[in-house]
Amino acid sequence: MGLTSSGAMRHCVLLVLWLLLWRLSVVMEYAPHASIWFPPVALTLTALLFLGWRACITLTVACVLSTFWEESIYLTGRSIQELLVSGSLFAMLHVGVYGAGAAVLRKSLAHITSYNLYSVVMRFLLVCAASTLLVSVIGTLVLYDGLASPTLKETLIAWWIGDMSGLLVMAPLFVALFQRWYPSQNFLSDIAFVPIVHAKDFPYSVKLVLTMLGLLFTSFAAYYFDSPEIACFVFFLAMPQMWIVYTESPFHAAVSLALFGFTMAGLVAFWGIDTQAYIFQFALCVMACSTYFSMAVPALISDNHKLHQQAHYDGLTQAHTRQSFFNTAEQLTKQAARYHESLSLIVFDIDKFKHINDTLGHIVGDDVLKAVAQIARSECRESDLFGRFGGDEFLILLPNTPLESGVKVAEQMRLAVSHVSAQFDGIEVSCSFGVAPVLIAEGVESAFELADRQLLMAKRAGRNQVKWPQF
């Protein structure tokens, strides 16, 4: 299938952006062929993740062109044939390994049954570490002097950490970019979470400036005193980054991480602190991983909140589930016993609800359930406990309410429910109620049995009425 004009334009943008990132990494080198990170890796993996092997030609051309561009900078004297061979080997290695990593990641994301950011983070970090390690090992052996190289260990580690830091830091931004280009490839659509807090005391720009000032001060002190120990203080800058993560959106966190990476690479190159570069490399990787997992915390909290809602509240009527109602009612009963307060329990259901379902369908039946639940909830006080026993039967626990007052509340609800009929053509909606006192010595379940018998009596007496025990 041929490329559309917009598709071709995006591939051109991909090519130009990859080369610009490569050139920027060269500008930020603290020594020839040595930078604390390699941002084009993140663009490669993201493009292959979204486009699959369709991105291979564009990325291969970028790798070959970067080899020629590198020759124009360092003037090593290689011939065109040597440059083509070298560029082709680099492209095969770079595109091949990261293409395989993207395919593994795409397949892994497709098999996540319970989607959350923590699952994505773990898979991404594993693919990131494995892919960058494989590229650095093969590249060191093939493109350099192999096992005979006197700097084999140093080259391998520098390549690995440089690629990994670039991938960790820049990938979130490129994912956001490709998500706009290719919305159908929505790998992260099911990740829904909000920041833990929304800070109003400091704007985002102030947090960024404070973080960059801390990085500037630390790098200058490490350069001025030529001290690796001082350079290690860069790890403490994870604190303002976590401040941003917990108080800003995930996109803002990703932007701050990318800016931190660019600033760090630029300062290391500017000060020429090559002997301490590895400290800043590891700090960048640690900060990126901390950012990912910290971003996962709000997601986990959001997931837990959803699970709590599902376990404690009925999805249709938003009333407490049966188990949640009785558990909470027991606590309220103990509280009432402590303060010598009265409790009343209302049990009610919808008259002829089965007939509504059978004649008009379950969709209409659900609408009636929601309308009745909304009326009942509106008649409750904030301190009252509203639950769904099952089907069309509901319960209301009234704290600090004697039986006589509970009967009045039930009667008010009965009258209010009668107005629901106006919402449905040809349906007369009414409810029958049973009310009982909650005797502290006997508990809520005993009161429920008594109120349920009163409800049955209301049904037998003709429905649409309130019954209570006569003591």
Side-chain angles (χ1 to χ4, degrees):
M1 183 181 296
L3 285 175
T4 62
S5 58
S6 61
M9 179 61 68
R10 289 168 184 168
H11 278 266
C12 291
V13 172
L14 173 62
L15 175 63
V16 172
L17 183 58
W18 197 99
L19 289 172
L20 288 177
L21 287 171
W22 176 86
R23 188 65 182 91
L24 191 59
S25 65
V26 173
V27 170
M28 294 185 293
E29 288 180 347
Y30 57 84
H33 304 285
S35 177
I36 70 169
W37 69 337
F38 190 61
V41 174
L43 184 57
T44 296
L45 185 70
T46 306
L48 291 166
L49 178 64
F50 278 79
L51 302 180
W53 299 107
R54 290 177 294 165
C56 287
I57 295 178
T58 304
L59 295 172
T60 299
V61 171
C63 291
V64 174
L65 289 178
S66 69
T67 305
F68 279 86
W69 200 350
E70 180 185 37
E71 173 63 25
S72 69
I73 296 173
Y74 296 108
L75 302 175
T76 59
R78 290 178 291 176
S79 65
I80 293 179
Q81 183 178 358
E82 289 174 329
L83 291 173
L84 285 173
V85 171
S86 178
S88 299
L89 287 174
F90 173 53
M92 290 172 59
L93 173 65
H94 185 79
V95 178
V97 174
Y98 289 120
V104 170
L105 183 58
R106 189 188 306 110
K107 185 175 181 180
S108 177
L109 294 180
H111 284 81
I112 299 178
T113 55
S114 178
Y115 220 98
N116 58 67
L117 190 57
Y118 177 78
S119 300
V120 176
V121 167
M122 286 302 301
R123 286 159 173 77
F124 171 73
L125 291 181
L126 288 173
V127 169
C128 175
S131 300
T132 52
L133 177 60
L134 186 59
V135 165
S136 60
V137 170
I138 298 176
T140 303
L141 295 177
V142 174
L143 299 180
Y144 289 88
D145 297 329
L147 296 175
S149 174
T151 59
L152 174 65
K153 181 179 66 175
E154 292 79 4
T155 302
L156 191 153
I157 293 177
W159 191 332
W160 182 26
I161 303 302
D163 274 20
M164 186 158 61
S165 59
L167 185 52
L168 289 174
V169 171
M170 296 300 298
L173 282 183
F174 292 138
V175 167
L177 173 64
F178 275 78
Q179 199 70 79
R180 291 179 63 88
W181 281 356
Y182 304 97
S184 61
Q185 301 287 339
N186 210 357
F187 295 108
L188 308 181
S189 60
D190 294 321
I191 301 175
F193 64 96
V194 294
I196 295 177
V197 295
H198 295 278
K200 300 298 183 182
D201 49 350
F202 292 100
Y204 176 58
S205 58
V206 172
K207 300 169 190 174
L208 281 180
V209 169
L210 290 176
T211 304
M212 300 310 157
L213 286 177
L215 180 57
L216 175 63
F217 176 80
T218 303
S219 61
F220 174 75
Y223 156 74
Y224 186 80
F225 295 102
D226 192 20
S227 170
E229 291 80 6
I230 293 179
C232 289
F233 277 89
V234 72
F235 287 93
F236 286 104
L237 295 179
M239 290 188 288
Q241 176 64 17
M242 296 307 100
W243 180 27
I244 291 174
V245 170
Y246 283 113
T247 58
E248 299 290 341
S249 69
F251 179 74
H252 280 170
V255 170
S256 68
L257 182 62
L259 288 176
F260 188 88
F262 274 109
T263 305
M264 177 183 287
L267 288 174
V268 170
F270 180 77
W271 300 123
I273 45 180
D274 54 315
T275 58
Q276 301 158 25
Y278 70 94
I279 297 176
F280 289 91
Q281 279 185 315
F282 279 102
L284 191 57
C285 290
V286 169
M287 189 168 296
C289 292
S290 300
T291 297
Y292 284 126
F293 282 110
S294 297
M295 287 167 63
V297 170
L300 291 173
I301 291 176
S302 178
D303 286 344
N304 289 338
H305 177 69
K306 291 177 182 176
L307 290 174
H308 179 274
Q309 289 293 108
Q310 292 172 4
H312 290 80
Y313 294 93
D314 173 60
L316 182 65
T317 63
Q318 304 306 311
H320 279 267
T321 61
R322 176 177 175 176
Q323 187 64 43
S324 174
F325 178 88
F326 281 103
N327 288 342
T328 308
E330 288 296 334
Q331 298 299 320
L332 292 175
T333 302
K334 293 177 182 178
Q335 180 178 320
R338 186 180 304 118
Y339 295 104
H340 306 288
E341 295 175 347
S342 302
L343 283 170
S344 293
L345 179 67
I346 298 175
V347 178
F348 71 95
D349 68 6
I350 302 173
D351 297 329
K352 300 181 180 179
F353 183 70
K354 185 177 184 303
H355 177 72
I356 295 175
N357 272 336
D358 292 343
T359 57
L360 299 175
H362 290 277
I363 300 298
V364 175
D366 286 348
D367 290 340
V368 171
L369 277 173
K370 289 188 287 187
V372 169
Q374 184 177 2
I375 290 293
R377 197 164 39 246
S378 67
E379 294 293 326
C380 290
R381 301 167 301 179
E382 188 174 343
S383 59
D384 297 339
L385 181 65
F386 177 52
R388 183 181 181 187
F389 185 79
D392 63 319
E393 189 168 354
F394 296 90
L395 314 95
I396 303 175
L397 184 67
L398 306 172
N400 197 23
T401 304
L403 178 61
E404 295 79 8
S405 299
V407 171
K408 292 180 181 179
V409 172
E411 182 62 27
Q412 290 173 358
M413 287 187 182
R414 187 188 68 81
L415 295 174
V417 167
S418 63
H419 298 299
V420 173
S421 301
Q423 302 178 25
F424 303 95
D425 293 334
I427 304 177
E428 184 176 345
V429 180
S430 64
C431 290
S432 299
F433 293 78
V435 188
V438 179
L439 303 179
I440 303 301
E442 298 181 6
V444 178
E445 291 189 6
S446 177
F448 170 74
E449 293 177 2
L450 180 56
D452 198 42
R453 288 198 298 269
Q454 300 301 313
L455 170 60
L456 183 59
M457 292 175 61
K459 292 284 191 183
R460 291 173 177 172
R463 300 185 177 87
N464 192 21
Q465 54 188 282
V466 180
K467 292 291 183 180
W468 66 97
Q470 304 294 328
F471 295 107

